[in-house]
C-alpha cells in the first residue's frame, strides 16, 4: 500500500462500498486508486470515508516481474489520475532513495564508531601494565 487517508470514522452498522480504478500501468506494475464510501443503513446517507493508493506488481509463474499492458487515459478524470500516478511514483522512488542513503550513512557511522571504540580498547589494553 502506498498511501491511505482516513477521512471520517466508520460506524458499526455502516455498509461499506469500495470503488477502485487502475490509475496508471507502468512496465510491470500498476497503481490502483481506491475510494471507500460508508452508507448509514438507517438514514441512507452516503459519505466518503477513506482513499488509498495501492501498487501491484505483475509476476509470472516463476515469480519474476511480468510486463503489463499499457493504459490510455481518455476522460479528463482519467488523465488527472494518470498524471497523478506518475508524480506519486516519482515521490515514492525519491523517498526510497532517501531512506537507502540514510541507512548507508547510518551504517557507515556505526562502523566508524566501532572502529574508534576498538582503537580505544586496544590503546587502553596496551597502555595498562601487565603482570605475568
Amino acid at each position: 500500500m502506498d498511501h491511505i487517508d482516513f477521512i471520517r470514522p466508520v460506524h458499526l452498522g455502516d455498509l461499506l462500498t469500495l470503488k477502485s480504478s487502475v490509475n496508471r500501468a507502468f512496465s510491470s506494475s500498476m497503481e490502483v486508486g481506491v475510494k471507500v464510501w460508508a452508507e448509514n443503513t438507517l438514514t441512507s446517507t452516503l459519505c466518503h470515508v477513506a482513499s488509498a493508493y495501492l501498487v501491484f506488481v505483475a509476476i509470472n509463474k516463476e515469480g519474476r516481474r511480468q510486463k503489463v499492458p499499457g493504459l490510455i487515459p481518455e476522460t479528463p478524470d482519467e488523465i488527472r489520475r494518470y498524471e497523478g500516478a506518475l508524480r506519486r511514483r516519482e515521490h515514492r522512488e525519491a523517498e526510497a532513495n532517501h531512506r537507502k542513503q540514510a541507512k548507508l550513512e547510518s551504517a557507515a557511522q556505526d562502523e566508524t564508531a566501532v572502529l574508534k571504540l576498538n582503537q580505544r580498547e586496544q590503546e587502553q589494553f596496551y597502555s595498562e601494565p601487565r603482570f605475568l
Side-chain angles (χ1 to χ4, degrees), residues 62-80:
E62 291 80 37
R64 295 191 188 109
R65 290 178 177 232
Q66 177 176 316
K67 289 202 176 280
V68 295
L71 181 71
I72 301 169
E74 296 174 354
T75 68
D77 193 44
E78 289 172 347
I79 292 168
R80 178 186 57 77

Side-chain angles (χ1 to χ4, degrees), residues 5-125:
D5 286 319
F6 295 101
I7 300 165
R8 290 194 172 97
V10 174
H11 302 284
L12 187 63
D14 284 354
L15 176 66
L16 298 180
T17 303
L18 284 72
K19 295 183 179 184
S20 64
S21 64
V22 176
N23 293 335
R24 188 170 186 145
F26 297 98
S27 301
S28 60
S29 65
M30 64 188 86
E31 181 193 270
V32 177
V34 180
K35 275 191 173 182
V36 183
W37 297 87
E39 180 182 354
N40 180 313
T41 54
L42 300 175
T43 63
S44 297
T45 55
L46 192 66
C47 64
H48 179 203
V49 294
S51 289
Y53 295 109
L54 305 137
V55 177
F56 295 94
V57 176
I59 56 171
N60 62 19
K61 291 180 182 179
E62 291 80 37
R64 295 191 188 109
R65 290 178 177 232
Q66 177 176 316
K67 289 202 176 280
V68 295
L71 181 71
I72 301 169
E74 296 174 354
T75 68
D77 193 44
E78 289 172 347
I79 292 168
R80 178 186 57 77
R81 291 195 316 260
Y82 183 86
E83 291 170 350
L86 179 60
R87 283 191 302 276
R88 284 184 291 277
R89 182 182 197 197
E90 291 168 346
H91 180 69
R92 280 191 303 274
E93 289 172 349
E95 283 294 314
N97 288 335
H98 177 73
R99 282 192 304 274
K100 183 178 180 180
Q101 186 62 35
K103 193 180 283 188
L104 289 172
E105 289 171 4
S106 176
Q109 288 174 354
D110 290 348
E111 186 174 325
T112 301
V114 167
L115 290 174
K116 285 181 180 178
L117 180 61
N118 286 342
Q119 184 180 5
R120 272 187 257 139
E121 288 174 345
Q122 287 177 9
E123 289 169 356
Q124 186 177 18
F125 176 79

